[in-house]
Amino acid sequence: MLDIKIIRDQTDTVRQRLAAKKAEALLDPILDLDRERRRLQTEVDQWKNQRNVVSKEIGARKKAGEDISAIQAEMRSLGDQIATADQQIRDLEERFSDLLLRLPNLPHASTPVGTDSSENVVVRTHGEPRAFPFTPKPHWDVGNRLGFFDLERGAKIAGAGFPLFTGVGARMERALISFMLDIHTTRHGYKEVAPPILVNAASMTGTGQLPKMKEDMYYIGADDLYLAPTAEVPVTNIYRDEVLSGPLPVYLTAYTPCFRREAGAAGRDTRGIIRVHQFDKVELVKFVEPSTSYTELEALVGNAEVILQELGLTYRVLQLCSGDLSFAAAKCYDIELWAPGQNGWLEVSSCSNFEDFQARRANIRYRDANGKTAFVHTLNGSGVALARLVVAILENYQQEDGSVLVPPALVPYMGGVDRLTPVA
RNA sequence: GGAGAGAUGGCAGAGUGGUCGAAUGCGAGUGAUUGCUAAUCACUUGUACUUGGGUUAACCAGGUACCGAGGGUUCGAAUCCCUCUCUCUCCGCCA
């Protein structure tokens, strides 16, 4: 959520920066509602002041035995007037805050202006696409031969896009989760948490998924709960409506399954496990002092990159242009893995600085050097997402005989197994 | 799912219709004093919104709202009534 004071005072700048996200249309209705609300509020406040003063007087006169019926009647009608106006203010506020909650964050000055993903900027590439003496197969072929997953039965159980991992596949999921959590907790200073995966509407609003992206979420109507699309939601909301008492920064990491309806993605990446409704992910979340958030973002990307380096995978880091930036982000880097079976890049991490956009929505504050409360800056990034990481491992480490080498760093987590061999 | 108890400022905890934005204690801050590093005294110390002043700052003055949330009664609600949420205890069910 943007600061209404900044919208008021620096309207032109805000308009310009929102235009880079094609979201400037909401601005004028918001300003109109704000003006109207304040005008009415000021008026009502004066009436209430009058009522408060007179009510005290009534108390005193009553005690003195005076007749107060006339003045009481007068106050009764003032009370009705106030009640009507209060209702109007509530309506205005509801419309106002609904619009404000639909206004995206402003792109940071360092975010390149662009319309879509074609204008994202490659910041760096690590490693070279591996050379194969044979034609690398897609992961669904590789995985099927290994008994790594059983996508047909997954579809039977829940539907397409709900993968069933089996045998070595299930083991590798578990291994990767432990491997990543260990690195982030022991080397990068994150504290591990295991949050609820069902979250309420307040949490979803706090991080920015609601109200705009409702259609992308699984919703459990009977209990009015949502399935978290990412651990970002429950983890960031740990400190909702709190003033952080300890020192900043706070680094948290969590493994959770993630659930996405992928409402607008029908027909894309339908084979294999590149685009699925349920996947595992290790997430990194930071709560930091505003002045440090951009150096913290660089460090966060580095934390995710370490995972890929340790696994010996080729990747590139992209900076998203304004048009491809997510709703709440001011600046975002994506990390993409090279997948030879797809002959393309797969996004496995998205690392964003939200500045105070989420903190303002979720009301997460800290005490600054002067002891005054101020909004923290929040950041998060995937560290990293599992399904596509598995795709990259299967496709990069496949051998001509159909076996797959286990990345050396992962072998201890696989019970010493260093090669997965075809079962049939 | 059933029964009961509770929810007040950073924390603890009074307050049962007006003089309550809220006693008291703790904590924190400022100043003074004493001086075997700790103590005594005085004062200060919630948040949000808003109007005006002020160098779009610090800050100052006024107003409104906030005693879990929402609604009601009343000239007037922390206080009375209703609904809801959450916490705790007991029972039931359950991995």
Side-chain angles (χ1 to χ4, degrees):
Chain A
M1 184 160 65
L2 300 182
D3 187 350
I4 183 61
K5 284 178 191 150
I6 289 174
I7 297 178
R8 263 183 227 148
D9 297 346
Q10 303 169 33
T11 309
D12 292 339
T13 318
V14 171
R15 193 187 305 276
Q16 213 167 26
R17 292 171 69 190
L18 279 175
K21 267 188 169 179
K22 287 171 283 193
E24 71 275 25
L26 286 172
L27 211 52
D28 286 323
I30 287 173
L31 283 166
D32 289 345
L33 283 170
D34 178 53
R35 245 189 309 274
E36 178 60 11
R37 193 200 96 247
R38 276 192 297 162
R39 187 194 64 73
L40 197 57
Q41 184 73 60
T42 306
E43 198 174 10
V44 173
D45 280 357
Q46 284 164 5
W47 295 342
K48 285 182 175 173
N49 176 234
Q50 190 190 348
R51 180 173 70 180
N52 288 344
V53 170
V54 174
S55 288
K56 263 183 192 161
E57 214 176 294
I58 288 174
R61 291 211 200 169
K62 205 173 180 181
K63 208 169 269 181
E66 297 182 31
D67 175 34
I68 49 174
S69 51
I71 197 166
Q72 265 185 1
E74 202 177 303
M75 283 303 105
R76 195 172 299 132
S77 83
L78 180 61
D80 292 343
Q81 195 178 328
I82 288 170
T84 308
D86 269 343
Q87 186 55 51
Q88 281 172 24
I89 289 172
R90 268 195 297 275
D91 292 346
L92 285 169
E93 264 170 0
E94 202 183 315
R95 284 158 59 198
F96 170 76
S97 76
D98 181 66
L99 288 184
L100 197 58
L101 286 172
R102 288 169 189 276
L103 203 62
N105 202 358
L106 303 177
H108 185 249
S110 66
T111 292
V113 175
T115 52
D116 57 41
S117 58
S118 68
E119 292 179 73
N120 293 342
V121 178
V122 177
V123 176
R124 58 182 168 272
T125 302
H126 178 90
E128 297 275 325
R130 193 177 302 246
F132 284 85
F134 57 96
T135 305
K137 294 184 162 65
H139 66 280
W140 48 85
D141 287 343
V142 180
N144 280 336
R145 289 191 66 188
L146 299 174
F148 197 96
F149 40 55
D150 186 338
L151 304 181
E152 289 75 15
R153 288 198 173 104
K156 175 171 70 178
I157 299 165
F162 289 91
L164 166 65
F165 289 93
T166 53
V168 290
R171 176 70 194 246
M172 189 176 278
E173 284 284 308
R174 177 159 59 93
L176 284 167
I177 291 163
S178 292
F179 166 73
M180 293 191 280
L181 285 173
D182 282 354
I183 288 179
H184 294 314
T185 53
T186 63
R187 269 198 244 171
H188 299 152
Y190 289 78
K191 178 181 167 186
E192 184 176 347
V193 296
I197 297 161
L198 270 62
V199 300
N200 56 30
S203 293
M204 290 287 262
T205 306
T207 33
Q209 283 74 20
L210 288 182
K212 261 197 98 171
M213 274 82 82
K214 195 174 165 77
E215 295 311 307
D216 294 329
M217 314 301 159
Y218 285 100
Y219 174 63
I220 300 179
D223 297 288
D224 197 19
L225 292 169
Y226 296 83
L227 271 70
T230 158
E232 162 195 350
V233 178
V235 175
T236 305
N237 277 282
I238 289 174
Y239 296 115
R240 173 154 49 85
D241 291 323
E242 292 191 32
V243 178
L244 273 73
S245 51
L248 293 177
V250 172
Y251 294 171
L252 300 177
T253 184
Y255 150 70
T256 67
C258 302
F259 301 89
R260 299 187 181 178
R261 292 186 65 222
E262 299 285 0
R268 293 178 62 192
D269 302 319
T270 46
R271 291 206 74 179
I273 55 169
I274 291 171
R275 185 178 292 275
V276 286
H277 291 305
Q278 177 180 337
F279 61 95
D280 291 316
K281 180 157 61 68
V282 168
E283 183 76 358
L284 306 170
V285 176
K286 291 184 173 188
F287 303 85
V288 309
E289 249 171 65
S291 63
T292 65
S293 65
Y294 281 95
T295 52
E296 291 281 2
L297 176 62
E298 299 301 320
L300 179 67
V301 178
N303 294 155
E305 285 180 73
V306 164
I307 299 293
L308 308 178
Q309 289 163 11
E310 289 284 323
L311 293 173
L313 294 168
T314 297
Y315 67 84
R316 63 180 191 180
V317 178
L318 279 76
Q319 188 186 354
L320 300 196
C321 73
S322 59
D324 203 28
L325 213 52
S326 71
F327 178 73
K331 181 173 185 173
C332 179
Y333 293 104
D334 275 3
I335 305 177
E336 297 184 336
L337 285 176
W338 177 251
Q342 312 299 313
N343 196 34
W345 299 92
L346 290 180
E347 181 190 333
V348 286
S349 179
S350 196
C351 301
S352 307
N353 183 2
F354 304 99
E355 298 186 351
D356 65 3
F357 187 82
Q358 292 182 327
R360 191 177 298 280
R361 289 175 158 246
N363 192 27
I364 304 170
R365 295 173 296 169
Y366 76 110
R367 291 199 186 276
D368 68 15
N370 302 319
K372 304 212 73 163
T373 55
F375 292 113
V376 301
H377 279 193
T378 59
L379 302 91
N380 67 54
S382 339
V384 299
L386 266 283
R388 293 177 187 170
L389 176 61
V390 162
V391 168
I393 290 172
L394 291 178
E395 293 190 358
N396 277 287
Y397 283 97
Q398 62 179 299
Q399 309 297 304
E400 193 157 19
D401 64 2
S403 67
V404 169
L405 297 178
V406 174
L410 203 57
V411 171
Y413 289 89
M414 290 291 289
V417 172
D418 61 3
R419 179 190 287 264
L420 312 180
T421 51
V423 289

